[in-house]
């Protein structure tokens, strides 16, 4: 489907075009949300909110070639807003002490149904353990494949900084995977 | 040189320990440098000498070797996380949410004049109250406004704190404080600014009376939150009277939260929009 034509129809209010766009991009949007929040159910709700924001701001995407970066930018802003709200409003109920050990467990999460292999689950878990800026760079560059110039613009960092941080982020991720893999006794998977 | 070679350990394990000891006493291990260059090694982006140096280090460093192995397969695995399958119901939920939004936007575009202004104001306010620091900022702003309105000989509401304290201590059934405040402000404006503003304030008084009379349903919806507000205002008055400023600050924040709940239930409860 021609992206430019699809976007034009969506901006004109064509519901069928919008549905096609949602179907085409839902996997990517959910993946971005999942990368930022780490929880499947939370990511799905957040992905819905991202699509609603896209719907409201469709007229701001005038260049179809920049659509992936535009979509990633909207998704990123929604994810950061969500994370800020989550940080400002801690959970309402207290978690009993005996459940805290379960939260800290390194056992596989039965709700990681979006991830196909144990290796993917290991990578996803390691990504969640990265620092905020490194996680963003991994999500935007290595996972979503955005160009460095767009990432630098989104993160408001110099291009050279993004390049060097990208390299270090991969090494940090690899070290984290090595440590997690050793901790879970799954060196074979690594 | 040959004398050094004659004295170097022959056993590989001892030779390795010898090298590590020398490195510990001189430059330290090369792990940090090797790790920096591993991504370029994986992408075949290193000069020939650098590549051989890193490979030599990897032959003798298990931890760096483990990281290099992971970097070798990491790229495709990360790319595999670019798209996930959220399930068949996801699209329907998104379309429902966006079509509801489209209907609301269409309805809003029909609103003109005062109704349109109130709608825009309501939406702006709804955007403000979901900000994480809103209760703190609202409490601060309310404190400043209260001080300006009640402190000093020129303040229009300088008698109101005493009346408010009597009203909250008396409990439910007392006359509307805001109605009294509107009366006092109208009198103050009429005294100081002349007939035009005074008559304008008189119109405000009339509108307020009309609004008060038409508020039955919304008042019933917010009864619980207003009860909470009254409790916190009483606690605030009590803390302020006893000079417990810290406690008064907490009560003021609770007042801000109760006001937010009242605002939400007043404007949005019948649209099914949950409290942010």
């Amino acid at each position: 489907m021609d992206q430019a034509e699809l976007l034009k129809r969506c901006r004109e209010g064509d519901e069928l075009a919008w549905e096609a766009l949602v179907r085409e991009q839902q996997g990517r949007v959910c993946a971005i949300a999942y990368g930022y929040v780490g929880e499947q159910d939370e990511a799905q709700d957040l992905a819905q909110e991202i699509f609603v924001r896209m719907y409201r701001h469709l007229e701001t995407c005038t260049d179809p070639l920049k659509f992936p970066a535009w979509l990633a930018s909207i998704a990123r802003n929604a994810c950061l807003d969500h994370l800020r709200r989550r940080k400002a409003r801690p959970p309402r109920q207290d978690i009993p002490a005996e459940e805290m050990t379960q939260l800290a467990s390194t056992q596989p999460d039965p709700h990681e149904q979006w991830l196909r292999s144990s290796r993917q689950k290991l990578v996803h878990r390691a990504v969640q353990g990265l620092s905020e800026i490194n996680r963003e760079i991994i999500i935007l560059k290595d996972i979503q494949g955005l160009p460095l110039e767009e990432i630098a613009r989104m993160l408001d960092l110099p291009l050279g900084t993004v390049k060097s941080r990208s390299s270090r982020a991969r090494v940090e991720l690899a070290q984290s995977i090595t440590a997690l893999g050793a901790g879970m006794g799954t060196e074979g998977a690594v | 040189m040959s004398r050094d070679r004659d004295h170097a350990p022959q056993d590989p394990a001892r030779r390795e320990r010898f090298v590590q000891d020398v490195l510990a006493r001189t430059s330290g291990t090369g792990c940090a440098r090797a790790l920096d260059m591993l991504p370029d090694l994986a992408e075949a982006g290193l000069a020939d000498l650098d590549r051989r140096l890193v490979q030599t280090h990897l032959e003798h460093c298990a931890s760096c070797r483990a990281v290099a192995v992971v970097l070798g397969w990491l790229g495709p695995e990360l790319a595999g996380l670019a798209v996930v399958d959220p399930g068949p119901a996801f699209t329907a939920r998104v379309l429902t949410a966006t079509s509801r939004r489209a209907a609301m936007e269409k309805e809003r575009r029909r609103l003109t004049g005062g109704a349109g202004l109130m709608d825009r104001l309501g939406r702006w306010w709804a955007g403000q109250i979901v900000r994480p620091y809103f209760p703190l900022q609202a409490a601060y702003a309310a404190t400043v406004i209260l001080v300006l309105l009640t402190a000093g000989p020129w303040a229009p509401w300088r008698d109101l704190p005493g009346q408010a304290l009597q009203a909250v201590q008396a409990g439910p059934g007392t006359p509307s404080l805001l109605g009294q405040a509107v009366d006092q402000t109208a009198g103050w404006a009429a005294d100081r600014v002349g007939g035009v503003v005074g008559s304008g304030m008189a119109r405000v008084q009339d509108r307020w009376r009309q609004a008060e009379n038409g508020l039955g349903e919304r008042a019933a919806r917010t009864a619980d939150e207003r009860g909470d507000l009254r409790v916190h205002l009483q606690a605030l008055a009590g803390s302020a009277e006893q000079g417990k400023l810290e406690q008064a600050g907490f009560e003021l924040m609770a007042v801000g939260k109760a006001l937010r709940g009242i605002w939400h239930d007043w404007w949005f409860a019948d649209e099914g929009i949950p409290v942010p």
Side-chain angles (χ1 to χ4, degrees):
Chain A
M1 216 171 290
D2 178 40
Q3 188 92 90
E5 185 61 29
L6 193 63
L7 285 171
K8 180 169 167 288
R9 293 268 191 102
C10 288
R11 282 196 296 271
E12 288 166 0
D14 186 341
E15 291 95 349
L16 285 178
W18 173 245
E19 181 180 339
L21 188 68
V22 171
R23 289 192 194 283
E24 191 182 278
Q25 300 296 333
Q26 63 180 356
R28 188 168 298 273
V29 170
C30 287
I32 295 175
Y34 193 37
Y36 274 94
V37 302
E39 295 281 334
Q40 210 165 281
D41 294 335
E42 204 176 334
Q44 228 177 32
D45 292 339
L46 183 53
Q48 270 196 47
E49 190 182 320
I50 292 169
F51 273 111
V52 171
R53 286 193 188 199
M54 276 173 64
Y55 187 75
R56 277 164 45 198
H57 296 106
L58 272 171
E59 68 280 359
T60 62
C61 179
T62 48
D63 184 357
L65 291 174
K66 294 211 168 135
F67 176 73
W70 175 84
L71 185 153
S73 182
I74 289 192
R76 175 185 177 253
N77 290 337
C79 293
L80 293 180
D81 288 345
H82 176 84
L83 289 171
R84 261 183 240 124
R85 279 197 297 269
R86 192 167 74 173
K87 208 187 282 188
R89 296 195 180 105
R92 287 194 182 160
Q93 58 260 30
D94 289 330
I95 301 167
E98 53 270 18
E99 284 182 34
M100 290 294 286
T101 51
Q102 291 170 15
L103 288 173
S105 167
T106 55
Q107 293 305 308
D109 186 344
H111 299 297
E112 288 173 327
Q113 291 155 11
W114 282 353
L115 305 174
R116 289 180 283 277
S117 66
S118 60
R119 198 181 254 189
Q120 270 195 343
K121 290 173 189 171
L122 190 61
V123 171
H124 172 74
R125 213 169 290 182
V127 168
Q128 296 308 304
L130 293 176
S131 63
E132 237 177 77
I133 186 73
N134 283 351
R135 186 168 67 241
E136 282 214 76
I137 290 176
I138 291 285
I139 290 171
L140 295 173
K141 177 180 180 287
D142 296 287
I143 296 179
Q144 294 301 324
L146 292 178
L148 283 171
E149 294 78 8
E150 283 296 339
I151 297 171
R153 186 191 56 77
M154 268 191 249
L155 302 184
D156 196 23
L157 290 173
L159 182 61
T161 304
V162 174
K163 267 189 200 161
S164 62
R165 289 211 80 140
S166 163
S167 208
R168 282 204 294 275
R170 283 189 83 145
V171 172
E172 186 187 328
L173 180 61
Q175 286 175 307
S176 182
I177 289 171
T178 310
L180 276 176
M184 288 167 64
T186 55
E187 290 89 347
V190 176
Chain B
M1 259 321 244
S2 58
R3 284 180 63 187
D4 290 333
R5 286 170 68 87
D6 288 339
H7 287 93
Q10 299 302 313
D11 173 52
R14 288 183 66 185
R15 188 188 285 273
E16 185 57 30
R17 268 200 307 277
F18 175 78
V19 169
Q20 294 303 325
D21 287 343
V22 168
L23 290 177
R25 294 179 66 182
T26 54
S27 65
T29 66
C31 289
R33 183 91 179 95
L35 287 172
D36 268 348
M37 291 204 280
L38 281 183
D40 290 327
L41 178 73
E43 289 166 15
L46 283 180
D48 199 44
L49 177 60
D50 286 330
R51 182 178 50 78
R52 281 191 275 132
L53 288 173
V54 173
Q55 283 172 340
T56 301
H57 176 84
L58 292 180
E59 281 168 21
H60 298 98
C61 181
S63 62
C64 287
R65 200 162 53 241
V67 173
V69 165
V70 170
L71 283 172
W73 56 254
L74 189 57
E77 289 296 331
L78 286 172
L81 294 175
V83 173
V84 297
D85 180 7
F90 180 79
T91 305
R93 283 163 58 190
V94 170
L95 295 178
T96 303
T98 51
S99 63
R100 190 167 59 220
R101 159 93 31 202
M104 280 168 62
E105 288 296 323
K106 213 186 250 183
E107 201 53 44
R108 282 192 178 123
R109 273 194 284 271
R110 285 207 213 120
L111 297 174
T112 56
L117 179 64
M118 287 304 296
D119 176 69
R120 282 194 293 278
L121 193 61
R123 279 187 290 133
W124 170 81
W125 186 248
Q128 292 303 305
I129 62 175
V130 296
R131 290 186 301 111
Y133 292 106
F134 172 78
L136 192 63
Q137 291 169 347
Y140 183 80
T143 305
V144 169
I145 291 169
L146 271 175
V147 167
L148 287 174
L149 288 173
T150 58
W154 44 264
W157 292 359
R158 61 182 175 279
D159 297 329
L160 201 59
Q163 294 169 2
L165 192 56
Q166 288 168 9
V168 296
Q169 283 172 342
T174 53
S176 158
L177 287 174
L178 283 175
Q180 289 179 40
V182 170
D183 286 340
Q184 284 192 4
T185 308
W188 176 82
D191 286 344
R192 280 162 182 74
V193 194
V196 172
V197 176
S199 67
M201 286 307 297
R203 279 199 295 276
V204 168
Q205 275 179 292
D206 287 341
R207 288 278 174 90
W208 183 261
R209 299 281 174 267
Q210 288 171 21
E212 277 193 321
N213 292 335
L215 294 176
E217 187 188 321
R218 290 183 192 261
R221 233 167 31 206
T222 59
D224 289 342
E225 284 82 7
R226 286 187 292 112
D228 288 343
L229 178 66
R230 193 173 297 115
V231 166
H232 289 301
L233 279 174
Q234 288 178 332
L236 172 62
S239 302
E241 202 179 7
Q242 291 165 26
K244 294 179 182 173
L245 295 181
E246 191 180 349
Q247 183 62 29
F250 288 130
E251 291 301 334
L252 194 57
M253 285 185 68
V255 164
K257 283 186 183 170
L259 285 171
R260 185 174 67 180
I262 290 170
W263 180 271
H264 170 270
D265 283 351
W266 190 271
W267 291 110
F268 302 117
D270 58 358
E271 292 181 33
I273 297 173
V275 179

